[in-house]
Amino acid sequence: MGANRFSNFRNEGGITLSGKTMLFRKVGHSTSNWFKSKRSTSKMDKVKSVGKSAITDGAGLAGAGVAIFSVAASVTTGVVAIVGGPVTAIAAGIVTLGFLAKGAYSNRDGAHAKLLPYVYSIIDDMAPRVNIYTNAEGLKEAATAAAYLMKEAPSQYKTMASKLQTREDTFKKFWKDYEKEISMFTGGQWKGIQGKMDQYERIPPGQRSENMLIEIVGYHEFLNKAKVKSEGMWERQSKQGGAVFEFMRRLVKVGNYLQCASIVSLATYNEVGIQRSEGAESDPFKQWQTSIDYRKYIQEMSDFQSEADINYRNWDAFAQKNGVK
């Protein structure tokens, strides 16, 4: 799949700063008083009734976060099984391994942010920027952050699933409203609008009726209003505390927690001079159905946004070409 429009949230700073992802470029627009005085309410009604969106809201994926519960329920014993002695020692506070002797963190967010260059994400399937199997310094830094998070794991793993589900539910409510605002730029609705554009362009400028001009201006006002509103919605919800930001941050953190044990295990072997190659450059989530579902859902939303963005730009170019401002 590669990167998508949500991938920025898995980068350094993406889950700790007030990030935002813009859908549309900002463009000013206005309509002359003459056109406004001529606009017909019935024309606007026609605009609003053009087609129906063919985009779904991710049916079949609702509650995907619930699958995290089964992982969280067994992850504590799983961590011990993977790492063995070192985890027990970490819990007891008696480990003196090199990667634990320095770089302590005072908060979990800092440790999560430190991990980002070294781990895979549930948001997309992009490989980490730094390969810890070939970069010894990177492995030590990743292990320091992972070990800190594992010390905090008992409480975090217990609430990991419920936190994710809450953020996912909030996000889906937002997405449903947001989707309505940009649905006219996709699917059947956009085909109807595109038909109007083609029809208008087929008629020579001197032969276009006043009603046609009024109708095009009506479309322009309606589409720009939807664009401005949706842009504002997305910008607000992509900042810290917003539905988009908090859902993406939760996905990032869940992915981080689930990789901590393997990172500490790899670093522990490395400390005693044992080089391991199994799992090198391997995506730990590619066979996990819940992650597959999340990535598919996120990619579909990203594609939906891209389609809406491209089609709005096509309309904007059409409007400018025909002197509609």
Side-chain angles (χ1 to χ4, degrees), residues 117-118 128-136 138-139 280-281:
Y118 312 109
R129 184 168 58 80
V130 180
N131 182 358
I132 58 177
Y133 285 85
T134 59
N135 188 313
L139 174 58
E281 299 183 24

Side-chain angles (χ1 to χ4, degrees), residues 16-86:
T16 55
L17 303 178
S18 54
K20 61 182 180 180
T21 303
M22 298 298 293
L23 173 59
F24 296 126
R25 65 185 176 90
K26 289 184 179 295
V27 293
H29 67 277
S30 61
T31 306
S32 70
N33 290 333
W34 183 87
F35 276 128
K36 285 183 178 179
S37 66
K38 297 289 186 179
R39 189 182 64 214
S40 165
T41 302
S42 62
K43 298 295 184 183
M44 292 301 290
D45 290 340
K46 285 180 65 179
V47 174
K48 295 178 182 179
S49 65
V50 175
K52 292 184 178 180
S53 174
I55 303 296
T56 68
D57 62 354
L61 292 176
V66 175
I68 297 290
F69 279 102
S70 61
V71 177
S74 61
V75 74
T76 303
T77 55
V79 168
V80 175
I82 292 170
V83 189

Side-chain angles (χ1 to χ4, degrees), residues 60-61 64 288-298 300:
L61 292 176
W288 184 30
Q289 190 58 49
T290 298
S291 178
I292 292 171
D293 289 344
Y294 273 128
R295 286 173 173 177
K296 180 181 178 182
Y297 179 39
I298 290 170
E300 287 173 350

Side-chain angles (χ1 to χ4, degrees), residues 214-234:
I214 292 173
E215 185 176 35
I216 290 299
V217 170
Y219 272 87
H220 193 54
E221 287 189 336
F222 180 73
L223 295 176
N224 273 300
K225 182 178 179 180
K227 170 262 184 187
V228 170
K229 183 177 179 180
S230 63
E231 186 179 69
M233 291 170 66
W234 189 259

